[in-house]
Amino acid sequence: MDREMVAYQCSRCGELHHPLHYVCRKCGGRDFAEVPLRGEATLLTWTKVYNLPEGYMKPFLGFGIVEFGNGLRVAGQLEVDQPECGMKVRAKVDVVREGIGQDYYGFIFIQKE
Ligand SMILES: [Zn+2]
């Protein structure tokens, strides 16, 4: 099942926030509209992380920061074989950690077909 991540756009000044802030960091407004975040994004930077905390079933994880077409930047797990800064990736939302009795949802960036 697909889950959707959303950004929160200030209805006064249009500033995008993720995750939700209660007060707009730009204009102090308190009304936000939800904007779906998905699909294509540009990989800005990435890294590999070893020595993962308990709950990850992998020797290492890639992490990346991407920028969506609307300019919002988010961090997430990177599952691309040969990542390069500037490449286009596809963002989806899935379980990023298999915890004990608890799953965490977050961004996963995958190879664009
Ligand atoms: Zn604002």
Side-chain angles (χ1 to χ4, degrees):
M1 193 183 81
D2 263 12
R3 290 209 174 201
E4 202 163 76
M5 274 289 190
V6 293
Y8 302 91
Q9 184 165 36
C10 175
S11 28
R12 200 195 297 178
C13 75
E15 178 80 353
L16 287 162
H17 301 74
H18 178 87
L20 178 63
H21 293 230
Y22 291 100
V23 178
C24 175
R25 65 188 164 206
K26 198 171 174 185
C27 75
R30 288 168 185 267
D31 282 333
F32 296 92
E34 293 189 357
V35 181
L37 284 179
R38 63 179 163 209
E40 193 177 292
T42 303
L43 183 62
L44 297 179
T45 183
W46 63 278
T47 186
K48 272 183 185 174
V49 178
Y50 295 86
N51 298 320
L52 298 167
E54 201 176 333
Y56 287 98
M57 305 295 172
K58 297 168 183 178
F60 67 84
L61 277 181
F63 281 101
I65 295 174
V66 304
E67 185 172 281
F68 284 94
N70 58 19
L72 192 75
R73 294 177 177 190
V74 297
Q77 197 169 310
L78 185 66
E79 292 185 355
V80 175
D81 287 340
Q82 292 177 315
E84 276 177 48
C85 295
M87 77 188 294
K88 299 284 185 192
V89 294
R90 189 158 290 281
K92 62 172 187 166
V93 173
D94 209 338
V95 176
V96 291
R97 181 178 172 184
E98 290 141 24
I100 298 162
Q102 204 172 0
D103 287 338
Y104 296 88
Y105 284 84
F107 284 108
I108 298 181
F109 310 124
I110 57 175
Q111 197 88 41
K112 191 173 169 284
E113 283 145 30

